[in-house]
C-alpha cells in the first residue's frame, strides 16, 4: 500500500521531462543539478517549440531520464509513459503491438499495420517490430497522444512515438561502456564523434547486447526468451550557411530464441496432449505455475526469431529566403526469420519452419514553413513505396495423427462404445474406426450399416476398417507466399493563425491516397481436406455433424493448412481519405494555456495474410476469394480539452487533457473456431491524462504521469455460423484488452555532490497498472490483477563527465504479470500466457574521452 500511495502522490506531480534537448543548452547546464527546462519537440514540425508551447497532448523524455530508467528499446518506454501499452506475443519481430489511449492494432500477422506511428529521427517505420532494434544514444523521446494524421507520415490514428537520437558533434568526443548482470547479461558499446572538416562532423555508434533466456524448456533444457543484438550506426553532418544535411546509415541484427507462451490452464484436451507426449518420453505440459517460467515444447522443433536490417536516410534543411525547407529521404530493408512450436506443448503436433518476412520501404517527405504576418503556415507532401513479402510454413508434425485420434477417441466415447472412435488409425486395430461403428450408408440406398468402404491411400496395410487419410509428417503449409505492394501519397497543410496576442487558431488538412496490391501462391499438403471433397468425405462430414462432432474434422483439416485454398490469385484496391485538425489555444497568463481541439485520424485498410482467412466450402462458406482477406480502413474522431501550466515559484509544471475518441471500423483479428477473420467494429475511448514535474529541493527532480482510460466496444462482435445462428466473439460494452483503467507512473532522481569532483545519483521509477483483461478470448481466466513495476539506478559520476559507474534494476520486486494471453489452437479450453520480464539487475561503467 505504501508503494501505491507514493506512486499516487507522485502522479499529482507527474511527468513532463523538461531538460533542454539542444546540445548547447545541455552543455551549459550544471552537471550536478537537474533542471526543468522545456524539451524541444517536433509535435508541430516547427523548430524551437517546446512541450509547454504546443496545444497537443504530448509527453517528452530527455536523455538523462531515458538513461536512468534504462530505456534501450521501444518496449522500455511503457515504464514512463502511462498512456502507452506495449504487448509482445509469439514474435518480437512481428508480434509486438503498441497502443495509446487503448487504441492499437495487435496481431502476429504482417498484413496488419500499427495505429501508433513510430518515427526514428523523422523516418516512419511501417511496422512496430521494425522499430524494436537496439537503439543508440538517445536525445529524446516524444509521445503524442491521439490522432496525428495531419503531420506525421501515415497510420497514426492512435498517436505517435517519435524517437530522436544523438547526432554528430563538432567537438571531438568518444565513449566506451560495458555492463553485466543476471541471466548472463553482457553489453558493450562504443561511440566516437568529431569533425573531419570545418563543416563536416561524423559519428559512429557500435552496440552489442546479449542475455540468456529466462524461460526453461523442461523437455530439452533450452533457455528461451534470450537477447542477442548487434547495432552499427554511422552518421555524417554537413553544414554550409543555412543549409545542413544529416545522413544516417545503420545495420542491425538479432539472433534470439523468442517468444514463448507458458501454460496457464489445461482444457479437456490436456489429457490427450500429455498422453501423446508421454509416448515420446516427454512432458506435454510443464508441471509448474506460469510464474515458475517453465514450458514443455517439442525438442526437435527449432525456436528462433532472427532479424537482419539496414537502412539509410538523409535529412536536408535550408532557408529559401524566409521559407524553411525540410526534406527527409529514407530506404529500409528489413528481414525476419521465425521458427516456433505452434502447438505450444510437448507433443509434436504442428510447427513453423522458416517463416520469412521481408519489408523494403522507400519514403520521401518534404515540408515548407514560413510566417506571413500573423499566419504561421506549413505545407508538405509525403510518398511511400513498400514491398512486403511473407512466406509462412505451418507444418504438421510426427504426432499429428496420434493427437487427432486421441481426441477423437475421447470425444466420441459413450456408454455403448466406451473406447470411442479414431479417425486416422494411429491407435491401431484395438480402437474401432468411426466409419465402421457408426450407421453408414455407403451406397446411398437408405440402408444403414453398409460394408466398410475401401481403404484410403496412405492408411497402413492390414487395418480392419476405413480411416480418414492422415496428416503427413512435414505436410501442411510448404510454401504460402504472399506479396503486398503499397503506394501511399499525401498532401498536407498545418497552419497557425494568431488571432490576438493570446488566442491562436490552428487548422490542418491531409489528403491521403493509397493503393495496395496483393498476390499469393499457396501450397499445402493436407490429405484429409482433399478427401472431404469426395462423395465419401461428404458423407463422413454428415456423420460427424449428426453426432455434433464436426470439430473433429478440423483436427485433420485445420484452416491453417486447408488444401482447398491452394493456388494463386491477386487483388487490389485503392482509397482516398481526408483527415485533419482544428484547434483553439488561449494563453490566460504567460504560465497557463488551455486549448480545445478536434482531430480526425485515418488508418488504411489492408489484407489479412493468412490462409485461414478464406471462407471454406467444406464448413459452410462460399470458397476462397482474395476479397476474403481484405479489411476496411479505420477512422478516429477525437475531441480534446487540455491545458499547459507552469509554476515558477514552485519550479513545477502540471499539464493535462480530457479526451473522447470515436473509432469507426476498429481493426481486430479474431479466431472464429474455423478460421481467423478480421472484424471491423466500433469503439469509444475517453478519459483523463495528467503530466507534471517538480523540483522540491536542490538536486531532486520528481516526475510521473496518470492516465484514466475507458476503451469500450460499442456492440457485440458477431460472426454468422452459417446455420442461422451467430457466434459472439467479444461482448459489447467491455474494456479492450491490455487497457487498464488506471495507470500511474512516477520517477524521482536525486543528485548529491559528495565532493566538488564527484556526484552521487539516486533514481527510482515505478508504474502501476490497475486490473485488466489480457485478451477477449481469455477474459475472466487470464486477467492481470493490479500490479506495480519498480526500477532504479544508483551511481557515481565525475563532475567533468570523464566516467560514471552505476548499478541498476528492472522489476526489482519480481512482480509477475502477463504481457498477453491466448486460447491455444486445437486444444479446447487450454490457455497460455506470455509472461512479463522477471527481475533484471546489473552494473554499468562508462568512460568518456
Amino acid at each position: 500500500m505504501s508503494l501505491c500511495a507514493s506512486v499516487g502522490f507522485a502522479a499529482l506531480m507527474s511527468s513532463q521531462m523538461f531538460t533542454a534537448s539542444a546540445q548547447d543548452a545541455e552543455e551549459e547546464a550544471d552537471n550536478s543539478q537537474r533542471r526543468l527546462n522545456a524539451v524541444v519537440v517536433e509535435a508541430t514540425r516547427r523548430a524551437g517549440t517546446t512541450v509547454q508551447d504546443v496545444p497537443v497532448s504530448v509527453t517528452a523524455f530527455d536523455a538523462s531520464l531515458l538513461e536512468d530508467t534504462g530505456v534501450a528499446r521501444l518496449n522500455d518506454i511503457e515504464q514512463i509513459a502511462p498512456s502507452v501499452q506495449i504487448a509482445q506475443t509469439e514474435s518480437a519481430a512481428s508480434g509486438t503491438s503498441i497502443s495509446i489511449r487503448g487504441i492499437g492494432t495487435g496481431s502476429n500477422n504482417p498484413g496488419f499495420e500499427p495505429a501508433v506511428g513510430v518515427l526514428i529521427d523523422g523516418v516512419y517505420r511501417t511496422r512496430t517490430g521494425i522499430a524494436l532494434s537496439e537503439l543508440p544514444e538517445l536525445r529524446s523521446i516524444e509521445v503524442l497522444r491521439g490522432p496525428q494524421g495531419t503531420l506525421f507520415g501515415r497510420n497514426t490514428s492512435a498517436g505517435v512515438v517519435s524517437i530522436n537520437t544523438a547526432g554528430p558533434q563538432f567537438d571531438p568526443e568518444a565513449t566506451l561502456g560495458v555492463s553485466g548482470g543476471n541471466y548472463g547479461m553482457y553489453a558493450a558499446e562504443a561511440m566516437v564523434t568529431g569533425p573531419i572538416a570545418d563543416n563536416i562532423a561524423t559519428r559512429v555508434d557500435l552496440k552489442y547486447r546479449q542475455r540468456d533466456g529466462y524461460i526453461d524448456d523442461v523437455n530439452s533444457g533450452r533457455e528461451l526468451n534470450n537477447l542477442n543484438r548487434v547495432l552499427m550506426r554511422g552518421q555524417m553532418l554537413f553544414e554550409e550557411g543555412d543549409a545542413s544535411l544529416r545522413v544516417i546509415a545503420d545495420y542491425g541484427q538479432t539472433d534470439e530464441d523468442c517468444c514463448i507462451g507458458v501454460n496457464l490452464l489445461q482444457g479437456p484436451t490436456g489429457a490427450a496432449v500429455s498422453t501423446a507426449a508421454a509416448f515420446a518420453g516427454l512432458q506435454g505440459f510443464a508441471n509448474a505455475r506460469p510464474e515458475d517460467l517453465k514450458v514443455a515444447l517439442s525438442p526437435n522443433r527449432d525456436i528462433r526469431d532472427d532479424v537482419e536490417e539496414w537502412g539509410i536516410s538523409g535529412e536536408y534543411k535550408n532557408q529559401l529566403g524566409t521559407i524553411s525547407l525540410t526534406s527527409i529521404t529514407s530506404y529500409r530493408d528489413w528481414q525476419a526469420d521465425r521458427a516456433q512450436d505452434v502447438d505450444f506443448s510437448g507433443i509434436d503436433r504442428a510447427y513453423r519452419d522458416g517463416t520469412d518476412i521481408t519489408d523494403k520501404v522507400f519514403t520521401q517527405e518534404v515540408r515548407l514553413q514560413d510566417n506571413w504576418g500573423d499566419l504561421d503556415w506549413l505545407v508538405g507532401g509525403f510518398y511511400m513505396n513498400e514491398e512486403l513479402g511473407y512466406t509462412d510454413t505451418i507444418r504438421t508434425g510426427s504426432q499429428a495423427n496420434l493427437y487427432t485420434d486421441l481426441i477423437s477417441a475421447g470425444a466420441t466415447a459413450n456408454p455403448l462404445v466406451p473406447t470411442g472412435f479414431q479417425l486416422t488409425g494411429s491407435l491401431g486395430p484395438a480402437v474401432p474406426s468411426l466409419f465402421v461403428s457408426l450407421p453408414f450408408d455407403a451406397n446411398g440406398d437408405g440402408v444403414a450399416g453398409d460394408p466398410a468402404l475401401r481403404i484410403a491411400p496412405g492408411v497402413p496395410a492390414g487395418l480392419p476398417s476405413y480411416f480418414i487419410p492422415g496428416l503427413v509428417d512435414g505436410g501442411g503449409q510448404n510454401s504460402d507466399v504472399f506479396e503486398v505492394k503499397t503506394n501511399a501519397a499525401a498532401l498536407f497543410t498545418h497552419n497557425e493563425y494568431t488571432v490576438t496576442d493570446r488566442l491562436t487558431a490552428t487548422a490542418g488538412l491531409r489528403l491521403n491516397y493509397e493503393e495496395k496490391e496483393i498476390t499469393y501462391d499457396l501450397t499445402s499438403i493436407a490429405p484429409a481436406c482433399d478427401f472431404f471433397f469426395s462423395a465419401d468425405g461428404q458423407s463422413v462430414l454428415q456423420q460427424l455433424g449428426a453426432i455434433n462432432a464436426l470439430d473433429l474434422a478440423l483436427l485433420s483439416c485445420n484452416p491453417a493448412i486447408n488444401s482447398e485454398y491452394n493456388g494463386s490469385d491477386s487483388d487490389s484496391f485503392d482509397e482516398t481519405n481526408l483527415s485533419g485538425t482544428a484547434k483553439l489555444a488561449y494563453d490566460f497568463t504567460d504560465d497557463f494555456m488551455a486549448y480545445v481541439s478536434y482531430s480526425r485520424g485515418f488508418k488504411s485498410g489492408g489484407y489479412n495474410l493468412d490462409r485461414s482467412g478464406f471462407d471454406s466450402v467444406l464448413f459452410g462458406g462460399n470458397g476462397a476469394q482474395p476479397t476474403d482477406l481484405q479489411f476496411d480502413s479505420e477512422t478516429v474522431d477525437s475531441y480534446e480539452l487540455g491545458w499547459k501550466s507552469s509554476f515558477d515559484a514552485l519550479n513545477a509544471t502540471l499539464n493535462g487533457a480530457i479526451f473522447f475518441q470515436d473509432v469507426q471500423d476498429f481493426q481486430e483479428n479474431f479466431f472464429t473456431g474455423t478460421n481467423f477473420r478480421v472484424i471491423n467494429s466500433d469503439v469509444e475511448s475517453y478519459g483523463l491524462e495528467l503530466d507534471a514535474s517538480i523540483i522540491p529541493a536542490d538536486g531532486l527532480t520528481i516526475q510521473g504521469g496518470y492516465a484514466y482510460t475507458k476503451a469500450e466496444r460499442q456492440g457485440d462482435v458477431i460472426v454468422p455460423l452459417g446455420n442461422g445462428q451467430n457466434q459472439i466473439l467479444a461482448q459489447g460494452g467491455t474494456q479492450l484488452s491490455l487497457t487498464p483503467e488506471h495507470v500511474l507512473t512516477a520517477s524521482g532522481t536525486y543528485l548529491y555532490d559528495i565532493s566538488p569532483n564527484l556526484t552521487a545519483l539516486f533514481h527510482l521509477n515505478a508504474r502501476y497498472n490497475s486490473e485488466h483483461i489480457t485478451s477477449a478470448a481469455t477474459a475472466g481466466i487470464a486477467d492481470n490483477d493490479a500490479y506495480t513495476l519498480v526500477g532504479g539506478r544508483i551511481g557515481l559520476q565525475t563532475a567533468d563527465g570523464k566516467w560514471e559507474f552505476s548499478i541498476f534494476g528492472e522489476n526489482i520486486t519480481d512482480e509477475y504479470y502477463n504481457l498477453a494471453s491466448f486460447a491455444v489452437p486445437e486444444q479446447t479450453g487450454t490457455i497460455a500466457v506470455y509472461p512479463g520480464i522477471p527481475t533484471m539487475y546489473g552494473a554499468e561503467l562508462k568512460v568518456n574521452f
Side-chain angles (χ1 to χ4, degrees):
M1 292 295 294
S2 61
L3 177 61
C4 292
S6 67
V7 175
F9 170 76
L12 298 178
M13 308 269 129
S14 313
S15 107
Q16 213 79 11
M17 312 312 143
F18 300 119
T19 66
S21 66
Q23 292 177 354
D24 54 350
E26 291 177 349
E27 292 169 358
E28 295 173 2
D30 182 357
N31 289 331
S32 64
Q33 173 69 51
R34 298 288 176 90
R35 302 189 304 173
L36 297 180
N37 297 321
V39 175
V40 176
V41 296
E42 296 280 339
T44 61
R45 295 298 201 182
R46 283 152 171 96
T49 57
T50 69
V51 172
Q52 299 301 90
D53 298 331
V54 295
V56 179
S57 185
V58 54
T59 304
F61 308 98
D62 75 312
S64 297
L65 181 79
L66 296 171
E67 182 177 1
D68 293 342
T69 310
V71 174
R73 301 172 297 156
L74 177 64
N75 312 55
D76 300 327
I77 69 168
E78 190 180 37
Q79 184 69 3
I80 50 178
S83 293
V84 173
Q85 299 287 335
I86 298 175
Q88 181 174 296
T89 55
E90 62 191 47
S91 168
S94 59
T96 300
S97 63
I98 181 170
S99 65
I100 293 178
R101 294 176 173 175
I103 306 303
T105 302
S107 175
N108 293 318
N109 189 315
F112 291 86
E113 300 176 79
V116 176
V118 178
L119 288 82
I120 300 180
D121 292 321
V123 176
Y124 172 72
R125 303 298 175 97
T126 57
R127 301 294 186 278
T128 302
I130 299 178
L132 289 182
S133 60
E134 200 75 11
L135 294 172
E137 180 183 347
L138 300 176
R139 191 180 80 226
S140 66
I141 291 181
E142 304 167 32
V143 177
L144 287 74
R145 302 181 285 263
Q148 306 296 326
T150 304
L151 287 172
F152 287 89
R154 56 189 287 277
N155 291 350
T156 56
S157 56
V160 165
V161 175
S162 180
I163 300 171
N164 304 299
T165 68
Q169 299 175 196
F170 284 93
D171 294 328
E173 184 179 339
T175 300
L176 292 175
V178 294
S179 59
N182 64 332
Y183 290 100
M185 189 277 285
Y186 172 79
E189 59 182 294
M191 182 280 295
V192 60
T193 184
I196 59 174
D198 290 342
N199 64 336
I200 303 176
T202 62
R203 179 186 177 109
V204 175
D205 288 273
L206 303 174
K207 200 167 186 179
Y208 172 74
R209 181 187 301 269
Q210 73 91 30
R211 190 203 66 216
D212 296 338
Y214 55 84
I215 295 181
D216 297 323
D217 178 9
V218 298
N219 285 333
S220 68
R222 291 176 292 186
E223 295 179 342
L224 305 169
N225 280 24
N226 66 322
L227 289 179
N228 190 350
R229 302 187 171 198
V230 173
L231 171 69
M232 295 183 287
R233 199 170 195 257
Q235 300 183 62
M236 188 170 288
L237 176 65
F238 302 83
E239 292 185 347
E240 186 70 41
D242 292 329
S244 68
L245 173 64
R246 182 186 181 189
V247 178
I248 304 173
D250 66 272
Y251 172 83
Q253 184 176 337
T254 69
D255 181 10
E256 299 172 354
D257 303 329
C258 183
C259 301
I260 303 303
V262 301
N263 182 254
L264 172 69
L265 178 68
Q266 296 179 30
T269 60
V273 171
S274 297
T275 300
F279 283 0
L282 303 172
Q283 296 184 43
F285 301 102
N287 185 20
R289 304 168 302 167
E291 51 266 40
D292 295 330
L293 301 178
K294 295 183 183 297
V295 68
L297 299 174
S298 302
N300 61 326
R301 299 308 174 196
D302 194 14
I303 305 294
R304 67 177 183 272
D305 196 29
D306 300 342
V307 173
E308 185 174 16
E309 62 176 319
W310 64 273
I312 186 168
S313 66
E315 181 181 42
Y316 176 74
K317 294 183 177 181
N318 202 353
Q319 287 294 128
L320 307 178
T322 61
I323 299 176
S324 298
L325 165 68
T326 301
S327 172
I328 301 177
T329 308
S330 76
Y331 178 81
R332 294 207 65 81
D333 186 303
W334 183 87
Q335 301 178 53
D337 175 44
R338 292 173 53 193
Q340 64 182 140
D341 188 356
V342 296
D343 54 60
F344 305 95
S345 67
I347 61 170
D348 189 21
R349 168 69 176 171
Y351 60 99
R352 266 193 169 101
D353 181 25
T355 293
D356 295 318
I357 309 171
T358 61
D359 195 53
K360 300 179 180 181
V361 184
F362 170 82
T363 61
Q364 173 65 58
E365 181 172 350
V366 177
R367 301 192 301 269
L368 298 171
Q369 184 266 328
D370 194 9
N371 290 281
W372 290 350
D374 294 327
L375 177 65
D376 182 337
W377 60 266
L378 182 152
V379 296
F382 175 82
Y383 172 75
M384 185 197 79
N385 174 265
E386 179 187 31
E387 295 183 2
L388 176 70
Y390 182 42
T391 301
D392 205 5
T393 53
I394 297 179
R395 295 178 177 165
T396 50
S398 60
Q399 293 184 305
N401 293 325
L402 176 60
Y403 177 70
T404 297
D405 283 339
L406 287 171
I407 294 295
S408 177
T412 58
N414 58 64
L416 297 178
V417 187
T419 58
F421 312 117
Q422 60 175 319
L423 296 181
T424 71
S426 65
L427 297 179
V431 180
S433 163
L434 172 68
F435 314 113
V436 169
S437 305
L438 282 180
F440 190 82
D441 183 11
N443 56 21
D445 61 3
V447 178
D450 288 329
L453 300 175
R454 59 179 175 78
I455 300 296
V459 174
L463 290 179
S465 56
Y466 178 81
F467 298 96
I468 290 177
L471 296 168
V472 178
D473 187 5
Q477 294 179 9
N478 274 252
S479 181
D480 275 9
V481 179
F482 297 88
E483 292 183 358
V484 177
K485 295 181 179 180
T486 302
N487 283 291
L491 297 174
F492 58 89
T493 181
H494 187 271
N495 308 286
E496 299 175 357
Y497 182 73
T498 303
V499 182
T500 69
D501 289 344
R502 296 195 175 275
L503 179 64
T504 301
T506 300
L509 285 174
R510 187 182 188 96
L511 179 64
N512 300 281
Y513 173 77
E514 187 157 321
E515 57 184 18
K516 279 187 169 73
E517 178 184 0
I518 184 175
T519 59
Y520 57 82
D521 186 0
L522 311 182
T523 304
S524 178
I525 300 172
C529 299
D530 300 331
F531 164 73
F532 286 142
F533 273 97
S534 70
D536 298 340
Q538 289 293 304
S539 297
V540 169
L541 289 177
Q542 293 175 9
Q543 291 182 80
L544 289 172
I547 61 172
N548 295 318
L550 194 58
D551 286 348
L552 293 178
L554 293 172
L555 293 176
S556 294
C557 186
N558 187 285
I561 63 170
N562 190 342
S563 56
E564 172 189 347
Y565 311 138
N566 284 354
S568 302
D569 210 335
S570 63
D571 189 47
S572 64
F573 73 93
D574 61 82
E575 51 190 342
T576 302
N577 178 270
L578 187 65
S579 58
T581 188
K583 303 181 182 184
L584 287 175
Y586 190 80
D587 294 314
F588 288 90
T589 69
D590 291 341
D591 297 322
F592 182 78
M593 179 262 284
Y595 66 90
V596 60
S597 72
Y598 164 78
S599 297
R600 183 172 179 83
F602 169 74
K603 181 172 179 292
S604 59
Y607 290 100
N608 175 14
L609 305 187
D610 189 335
R611 170 190 289 260
S612 68
F614 290 115
D615 286 336
S616 171
V617 171
L618 291 175
F619 301 101
N622 59 359
Q625 304 168 62
T627 53
D628 293 341
L629 303 179
Q630 185 181 338
F631 53 87
D632 294 335
S633 57
E634 176 181 296
T635 59
V636 181
D637 291 303
S638 177
Y639 306 85
E640 190 171 304
L641 174 64
W643 70 91
K644 306 289 180 74
S645 58
S646 302
F647 306 91
D648 292 341
L650 299 175
N651 208 354
T653 63
L654 176 63
N655 300 338
I658 301 169
F659 65 90
F660 173 82
Q661 298 183 157
D662 181 15
V663 186
Q664 300 292 317
D665 293 320
F666 180 59
Q667 298 167 358
E668 287 187 280
N669 200 25
F670 288 94
F671 182 62
T672 67
T674 58
N675 66 346
F676 283 93
R677 287 189 56 186
V678 181
I679 308 294
N680 290 98
S681 60
D682 296 338
V683 168
E684 287 184 358
S685 171
Y686 58 91
L688 166 70
E689 297 160 338
L690 295 174
D691 296 291
S693 56
I694 188 170
I695 298 180
D698 289 345
L700 176 62
T701 304
I702 299 174
Q703 55 251 327
Y706 169 71
Y708 169 74
T709 306
K710 290 289 287 184
E712 300 174 328
R713 293 185 177 85
Q714 295 308 290
D716 295 342
V717 179
I718 299 174
V719 294
L721 296 178
N723 54 3
Q725 297 179 340
N726 293 324
Q727 179 183 5
I728 298 178
L729 301 176
Q731 296 281 345
T734 56
Q735 184 89 335
L736 296 183
S737 61
L738 297 170
T739 307
E741 286 192 20
H742 303 278
V743 177
L744 298 168
T745 61
S747 66
T749 303
Y750 181 57
L751 293 172
Y752 175 72
D753 292 329
I754 299 174
S755 70
N757 297 318
L758 194 63
T759 299
L761 176 145
F762 303 91
H763 172 82
L764 190 69
N765 60 76
R767 178 186 173 106
Y768 167 82
N769 293 277
S770 63
E771 64 278 2
H772 56 276
I773 68 171
T774 54
S775 168
T778 65
I781 301 173
D783 301 350
N784 274 330
D785 294 330
Y787 64 92
T788 302
L789 300 178
V790 181
R793 181 179 292 263
I794 300 174
L796 292 173
Q797 56 192 30
T798 59
D800 59 8
K802 292 297 185 182
W803 62 266
E804 55 184 290
F805 174 79
S806 60
I807 58 175
F808 58 87
E810 302 175 47
N811 190 12
I812 58 181
T813 60
D814 203 22
E815 189 78 19
Y816 177 83
Y817 60 102
N818 298 321
L819 293 170
S821 64
F822 62 101
V824 179
E826 297 190 321
Q827 297 181 36
T828 304
T830 296
I831 305 297
V833 296
Y834 294 100
I837 296 177
T839 297
M840 297 287 173
Y841 56 84
E844 180 180 51
L845 174 65
K846 283 189 176 181
V847 180
N848 300 310
F849 303 93

